[in-house]
Amino acid sequence: MGLIMRLGGVYQTRGGSVAWAVRGIYAQQAGWFDGNPTHIFFLPNKVRAKQIVSMAGGKQDVLDRAQRALPEEPQWAAELSDYVLALEPGHERATSIKLRALRELGELQLNATAKNYYLKVAQSEQIIVC
């Protein structure tokens, strides 16, 4: 990173990003564990989604918040949509919001790999929720 700063702080990769490279190096050297004991064992996504959606007031409240987040926070809109989709795959409104969020995220990307993946998934309309 010191070399990048000496070159004026401008660095753009063609097939990834600095954040992805750093994360990959860390994972390779230190493993998956980030030091937070909560992360030793995760709740299954569906269980986590059920708890969060319930805490937030239900699916419609979560999706209303996701809709409001779209213009300024498309990543947050996509993540909120994922909670509903984990509980109800194919939920029409959640799918619509997530696709719009992915298109927005794709348009914001400078990184070609990320841009292509966001836009390709949005174009295919096949939402992946793990």
Side-chain angles (χ1 to χ4, degrees):
M1 295 304 289
L3 175 61
I4 294 168
M5 297 314 292
R6 285 194 299 276
L7 294 174
V10 177
Y11 178 74
Q12 181 178 352
T13 63
R14 297 281 183 228
S17 71
V18 173
W20 294 350
V22 170
R23 182 177 179 189
I25 292 167
Y26 178 82
Q28 183 177 4
Q29 298 301 318
W32 60 268
F33 185 55
D34 65 2
N36 182 341
T38 305
H39 297 162
I40 292 174
F41 296 103
F42 289 98
L43 288 172
N45 287 337
K46 192 169 185 174
V47 172
R48 179 184 299 109
K50 183 178 180 183
Q51 295 293 332
I52 289 174
V53 168
S54 174
M55 182 177 60
K59 293 176 190 173
Q60 294 312 309
D61 287 344
V62 170
L63 293 175
D64 288 346
R65 178 61 182 102
Q67 186 80 46
R68 289 192 306 272
L70 266 172
E72 300 295 324
E73 300 174 282
Q75 179 66 39
W76 183 231
E79 290 183 31
L80 289 173
S81 298
D82 278 345
Y83 290 126
V84 173
L85 289 166
L87 297 175
E88 190 179 327
H91 187 285
E92 190 174 324
R93 186 172 177 215
T95 299
S96 174
I97 291 169
K98 183 158 182 184
L99 291 172
R100 288 177 54 203
L102 294 177
R103 286 185 197 100
E104 183 66 27
L105 288 165
E107 293 302 327
L108 293 170
Q109 282 297 314
L110 296 176
N111 179 279
T113 302
K115 181 182 198 79
N116 182 56
Y117 193 67
Y118 281 128
L119 296 176
K120 195 66 171 171
V121 171
Q123 180 184 31
S124 74
E125 297 187 2
Q126 294 179 346
I127 298 298
I128 299 164
V129 179
C130 301

